[in-house]
Amino acid sequence: MDLTHLEYLDLSGNNFSGAPIPEFIGSLPRLEYLDLSSTWFHGTIPRQLGNLSSLQALIIDYSYDPSSFILRVDDLHWLSRLTSLYYLRLSAVDLSKAVDWIYDVSKLPNLSTLELEYAGLLNLPAGVTSVGNFTLLSRISFFGNQFNSTIPSWLLNNISGLVDLSIGNSGLHGGLPLTSGHLINLQSLDLGRNKFGAEIWRHFDSLPYLKTVDLAFNVIDGPIPDSLWNLTRLRSIKLDENQIPGGLPKTLGNLSQLQGFFVSGNRLSGEIPESIGNLRNLTDLYLANNKIRGRIPDSIGNLANLQSFDISTNLITGEIPRSLFNISRLQQLTMSNNNINGYIPNTVSDLYELSLLDLSGNRLTGPMFFCNLSSLAYLDLSNNNLYGTLPRFENKSSQLVILNLSNNSLSGYIPDLFGSLPYLGSLHLGSNHLSGKIPESLKHCQQLVTLDLHENRLSGNIPTWIGESLSRLGILSLRSNQLSGLIPMQLSYLTSLQILDLSLNNLTGSLSLHFENFSSMAMAHLGVEDRFFVFHNNLLYVENLQLVTKGVASDYTSVLSSVNIIDLSSNGLSGEIPDSLTQLHELVFLNLSRNHFTGSIPKNIGAMTQLQALDLSTNNLSGTIPPNMSALHFLGRLNFSNNDLSGEIPQVTQFSTFNASDFSGNRGLCGWPLPKCPGNAPNRNGQEEEEDDDKYEIVWIYGGAAIGFLISFWAAFGTIMIKQSIRILVFRAVDDFSDWIYVKFALSIARLKSRMWRMGEQ
């Protein structure tokens, strides 16, 4: 095939399975455009590409996996021969060996766009006296490198035609080394995700044509200067996640072309100025996680183009302004965690494009609005004072994915029409006054991952269809209701279940569940956390749930994926504890207390190695405590009280941390921390030996502490002094030795505590 006349070659998106870039590409004399992005070529970019004297655009973009570095260069000297090149993009290509990259690139006489992103560049030279042909550049992007330096003055003062500068996520600090009259054509500045402080604000008045500025995720701790509000061409301001103090001035209203204003996650205070209503082109307004107080001004209703408004986690008071619901284009409204009171205006139902509404954590009262929002996917009204009955979610609300109405005062039955929500993935109705049975229509919500109905007045049996129809269920919380009857065997079909809380009900009978089917509790699963992070129409929802663990109610959010819980406490369950329960090797919390279980503690309980809390108290269990519980190294809370257990409490390290109350009410139990077992009193010689042992243990305690300090010091110092290959071996040895020291130390403490107790008994 004759390719000598080929001018355009786009191989992007193909999979060449790790083959090298063919060198013959460098022999296509008329080639003007070459795109090798996402091709899975591996190895070194051939120098022969430097022969393409007609090439105008070279694109090699692997930014979909910026850490892969499957393509690399030894140097960029060959670039200087591409005299026709005006567009160069090397993204996620390893350029770390190209130490003279700045000089090689500066020899390209026609270059107007330079994009070297995620390229492993380690230096942004400060002492460059000549930048050659950089004066023609209009766009520079060095995003995602590892410069860890200040911005060199030549980059800002010698490239007068620069329009777009992006050096985000590159470890930069310091300020803008601008001199008057330079960089006046700059329209876009991206310095986000660096280490800039308040000095970055200087010289912003020298950028009169600036349209977009991104300084998000820095450490700016100075107030926004007045000069920023005078840049009337600004269309986007991103300052979120800094430490910016001060307030929003009236001059904010001068930015009439502003479309996006992002200042969440700062220390802004004061009130929202009435002049915000002048920003008629604003589409995105994010003010969350600040200390903004006062009422939302009525002028907010003038923002006819507003699509996203987030004022969550502030000190906002007063009622929701009715003018807000005149913004027909509003798609996302988040006002959670404030002190907003009053009613939810009925006009919210006029927002037909609304996909997210979060008013949780306020003091809203009154009945719920009639919900007929056809685009609504996320509705969170939890933690308010809403009362009345649940709305009838009809087919017009069929897009709902997240529904959280928990912690209100809602009453009445759960409507049957909940079954008309085919995409519903998370349903929270807990901590209300709902009554009646769990409606059968919910079985049609087959995408449900979370079903949380805790602390209501629901009655009747647990429906069998929960196990038969809701196969994706990962969280089932029916705690503190008035449910009765047996726990249906069909719950065993819920192989993805990670949290099962049926505590504080009136359930009876034996446990017929096949616990071995709960595969998410039986073995670790990669990627299981995805079920608790819901993406829908560019919205991210992180699942949350209140759980009682270790006797304390706590809110769990992002860590839910690593928590496996079974709580069946405070019911009337009987029979023996099934041996299959011990196959749940990833179970973290198990509570079977306050039931009528009989028989012995399962002999294989030591296989549940991830247990952190185990409560079997107030049952009728008998027999001895299995000695293999010594394998439960993470066990931090244990309660076996008020049973009929007997024999000696295992004298292992874990048990030495528990109190006598954790074993009380078992007449046949003995040994630390209860009174010693009969026949175990030591003779005088034994006491002398123990005194000698005590001295030995004390030596170990202080010696171990000293050795631990030396290990920590030399491990830290050695990180700098030792080569990587040797360092790995050293740290493995240090880690093993540290573990050995820890075990000796812990056992010594336990033995001393035990001997002190015995001395007290005598």
Side-chain angles (χ1 to χ4, degrees):
M1 182 182 296
D2 184 9
L3 300 177
T4 56
H5 298 283
L6 189 66
E7 297 180 356
Y8 188 99
L9 180 58
D10 185 350
L11 299 177
S12 62
N14 288 287
N15 187 348
F16 291 97
S17 304
I21 296 175
E23 295 180 0
F24 80 85
I25 294 178
S27 62
L28 303 176
R30 298 190 181 183
L31 197 64
E32 297 179 358
Y33 181 96
L34 177 60
D35 189 346
L36 302 177
S37 302
S38 305
T39 51
W40 288 97
F41 282 128
H42 284 210
T44 303
I45 297 175
R47 299 170 183 267
Q48 287 81 357
L49 295 187
N51 298 330
L52 302 174
S53 58
S54 299
L55 197 65
Q56 298 178 22
L58 174 59
I59 306 170
I60 305 178
D61 187 348
Y62 277 63
S63 57
Y64 66 90
D65 186 7
S67 61
S68 63
F69 280 169
I70 60 178
L71 279 177
R72 60 186 179 274
V73 299
D74 293 328
D75 58 62
L76 288 176
H77 299 331
W78 50 272
L79 270 179
S80 61
R81 304 200 302 274
L82 303 180
T83 55
S84 300
L85 200 67
Y86 70 84
Y87 185 99
L88 174 61
R89 177 171 178 79
L90 300 177
S91 179
V93 176
D94 186 2
L95 305 182
S96 60
K97 292 184 179 180
V99 293
D100 296 325
W101 65 273
I102 196 71
Y103 300 100
D104 295 326
V105 174
S106 69
K107 295 175 182 178
L108 300 173
N110 296 300
L111 194 64
S112 63
T113 298
L114 174 60
E115 299 174 343
L116 305 178
E117 300 176 349
Y118 298 107
L121 295 173
L122 302 176
N123 66 315
L124 190 58
V128 177
T129 57
S130 173
V131 291
N133 296 295
F134 273 6
T135 52
L136 300 180
L137 277 171
S138 61
R139 170 170 164 74
I140 293 177
S141 179
F142 296 148
F143 191 92
N145 284 287
Q146 304 166 34
F147 297 132
N148 296 310
S149 65
T150 58
I151 300 175
S153 61
W154 62 264
L155 186 58
L156 301 183
N157 297 311
N158 290 21
I159 311 177
S160 58
L162 198 62
V163 174
D164 187 341
L165 177 61
S166 174
I167 324 180
N169 195 23
S170 296
L172 296 174
H173 54 87
L176 291 176
L178 269 175
T179 55
S180 179
H182 293 86
L183 216 61
I184 60 171
N185 295 309
L186 193 69
Q187 297 181 18
S188 178
L189 178 63
D190 182 358
L191 299 176
R193 298 181 182 275
N194 280 294
K195 303 174 184 177
F196 291 111
E199 58 187 313
I200 195 65
W201 291 131
R202 278 182 283 174
H203 305 302
F204 260 78
D205 54 355
S206 300
L207 305 172
Y209 293 100
L210 200 62
K211 293 182 178 180
T212 66
V213 57
D214 187 348
L215 293 172
F217 293 91
N218 277 283
V219 289
I220 303 171
D221 55 1
I224 302 172
D226 292 339
S227 58
L228 188 70
W229 311 122
N230 295 327
L231 300 177
T232 56
R233 290 180 173 85
L234 276 171
R235 295 180 181 177
S236 176
I237 300 175
K238 293 183 178 180
L239 304 175
D240 35 323
E241 302 303 328
N242 279 283
Q243 303 167 30
I244 300 171
L248 298 175
K250 295 180 181 179
T251 49
L252 172 62
N254 295 341
L255 306 180
S256 59
Q257 296 187 39
L258 197 64
Q259 297 174 7
F261 188 48
F262 305 85
V263 291
S264 297
N266 283 287
R267 293 187 287 131
L268 296 173
S269 56
E271 299 185 359
I272 301 173
E274 192 77 26
S275 63
I276 201 167
N278 297 338
L279 307 180
R280 303 298 178 93
N281 292 305
L282 201 64
T283 59
D284 299 285
L285 178 57
Y286 285 81
L287 308 175
N289 293 293
N290 281 288
K291 298 179 181 179
I292 299 171
R293 64 180 185 274
R295 296 172 176 264
I296 299 172
D298 287 334
S299 63
I300 197 81
N302 296 336
L303 307 180
N305 292 299
L306 194 64
Q307 297 177 12
S308 300
F309 179 33
D310 188 349
I311 190 68
S312 61
T313 316
N314 277 284
L315 304 172
I316 300 298
T317 56
E319 298 184 0
I320 302 174
R322 292 185 177 273
S323 62
L324 184 62
F325 299 109
N326 296 331
I327 306 174
S328 59
R329 295 184 179 181
L330 199 61
Q331 297 176 12
Q332 299 181 28
L333 177 59
T334 306
M335 307 177 75
S336 59
N337 300 316
N338 282 287
N339 293 307
I340 300 171
N341 56 28
Y343 290 78
I344 301 173
N346 290 333
T347 50
V348 68
S349 296
D350 296 333
L351 301 179
Y352 296 111
E353 295 186 24
L354 197 67
S355 60
L356 181 152
L357 178 60
D358 188 351
L359 305 177
S360 62
N362 282 287
R363 294 187 294 156
L364 296 169
T365 188
M368 280 189 60
F369 55 87
F370 182 81
C371 186
N372 62 351
L373 300 173
S374 58
S375 299
L376 197 63
Y378 181 124
L379 176 60
D380 191 346
L381 304 178
S382 62
N383 296 291
N384 279 289
N385 299 315
L386 301 175
Y387 56 80
T389 58
L390 288 172
R392 299 174 68 84
F393 291 89
E394 302 182 18
N395 292 331
K396 291 182 179 180
S397 305
S398 61
Q399 299 300 313
L400 265 176
V401 176
I402 309 296
L403 178 59
N404 192 342
L405 305 177
S406 59
N407 290 294
N408 281 287
S409 298
L410 300 171
S411 57
Y413 298 134
I414 300 175
D416 281 338
L417 284 176
F418 265 88
S420 62
L421 305 176
Y423 302 111
L424 193 64
S426 178
L427 176 60
H428 291 266
L429 300 177
S431 294
N432 280 289
H433 307 305
L434 300 173
S435 57
K437 297 182 178 181
I438 301 173
E440 188 174 0
S441 60
L442 278 176
K443 73 179 182 181
H444 300 297
C445 301
Q446 297 185 5
Q447 300 300 312
L448 269 179
V449 173
T450 298
L451 178 57
D452 176 17
L453 306 177
H454 77 275
E455 291 187 25
N456 279 288
R457 300 168 183 170
L458 299 174
S459 57
N461 296 338
I462 298 175
T464 59
W465 52 258
I466 291 181
E468 295 168 339
S469 300
L470 306 182
S471 60
R472 293 173 52 87
L473 211 59
I475 297 174
L476 177 60
S477 178
L478 305 177
R479 169 170 56 91
S480 192
N481 277 285
Q482 299 170 13
L483 298 170
S484 58
L486 306 177
I487 297 177
M489 182 273 296
Q490 288 81 357
L491 294 187
S492 305
Y493 304 156
L494 301 176
T495 58
S496 298
L497 201 63
Q498 287 185 236
I499 295 173
L500 176 62
D501 190 348
L502 307 179
S503 61
L504 293 162
N505 278 286
N506 301 314
L507 302 173
T508 57
S510 60
L511 283 181
S512 59
L513 295 175
H514 297 285
F515 288 103
E516 67 275 12
N517 291 345
F518 294 158
S519 58
S520 291
M521 300 187 192
M523 62 187 73
H525 288 271
L526 294 177
V528 71
E529 66 275 2
D530 292 345
R531 294 187 295 119
F532 300 126
F533 291 80
V534 179
F535 293 90
H536 185 80
N537 290 343
N538 296 320
L539 304 178
L540 171 62
Y541 170 75
V542 181
E543 186 59 83
N544 64 89
L545 189 69
Q546 186 184 79
L547 299 171
V548 178
T549 58
K550 300 183 179 181
V552 179
S554 304
D555 292 324
Y556 286 76
T557 53
S558 57
V559 298
L560 269 177
S561 58
S562 59
V563 177
N564 296 312
I565 296 176
I566 292 180
D567 190 345
L568 307 179
S569 61
S570 299
N571 280 288
L573 300 172
S574 58
E576 297 189 356
I577 299 174
D579 287 334
S580 62
L581 190 61
T582 64
Q583 297 184 35
L584 304 182
H585 301 152
E586 297 296 317
L587 195 65
V588 176
F589 302 110
L590 175 61
N591 191 347
L592 303 179
S593 65
R594 296 181 295 281
N595 279 288
H596 307 299
F597 288 115
T598 57
S600 59
I601 299 172
K603 62 181 180 180
N604 293 323
I605 197 168
M608 305 175 73
T609 54
Q610 299 300 312
L611 272 182
Q612 296 181 22
L614 174 61
D615 192 345
L616 303 180
S617 64
T618 316
N619 279 287
N620 298 313
L621 299 174
S622 58
T624 60
I625 298 174
N628 62 13
M629 288 190 68
S630 61
L632 305 182
H633 300 297
F634 299 112
L635 196 62
R637 188 177 188 274
L638 175 71
N639 194 344
F640 284 167
S641 64
N642 300 313
N643 279 285
D644 195 22
L645 299 172
S646 59
E648 184 175 10
I649 298 172
Q651 300 300 297
V652 294
T653 303
Q654 293 90 332
F655 280 69
S656 65
T657 63
F658 302 133
N659 300 316
S661 59
D662 297 325
F663 302 95
S664 63
N666 292 278
R667 290 177 297 176
L669 275 184
C670 58
W672 173 265
L674 298 179
K676 61 181 181 294
C677 296
N680 286 352
N683 56 31
R684 180 59 187 164
N685 291 334
Q687 291 179 353
E688 292 174 354
E689 291 175 0
E690 288 188 359
E691 290 174 0
D692 292 338
D693 287 344
D694 288 349
K695 297 175 182 178
Y696 173 75
E697 302 296 350
I698 292 172
V699 170
W700 262 113
I701 291 172
Y702 288 102
I707 293 172
F709 171 78
L710 292 174
I711 288 172
S712 300
F713 173 80
W714 283 107
F717 184 72
T719 304
I720 302 173
M721 299 297 294
I722 303 173
K723 291 167 58 178
Q724 182 179 3
S725 58
I726 300 175
R727 184 164 67 245
I728 293 171
L729 296 175
V730 169
F731 278 137
R732 285 177 179 170
V734 167
D735 190 49
D736 292 342
F737 189 57
S738 299
D739 289 345
W740 182 76
I741 288 293
Y742 170 77
V743 172
K744 294 293 294 183
F745 185 85
L747 288 173
S748 300
I749 291 291
R751 288 170 182 161
L752 282 176
K753 286 172 66 177
S754 178
R755 285 166 191 156
M756 291 172 65
W757 168 76
R758 289 172 183 168
M759 291 173 63
E761 287 289 312
Q762 295 174 354

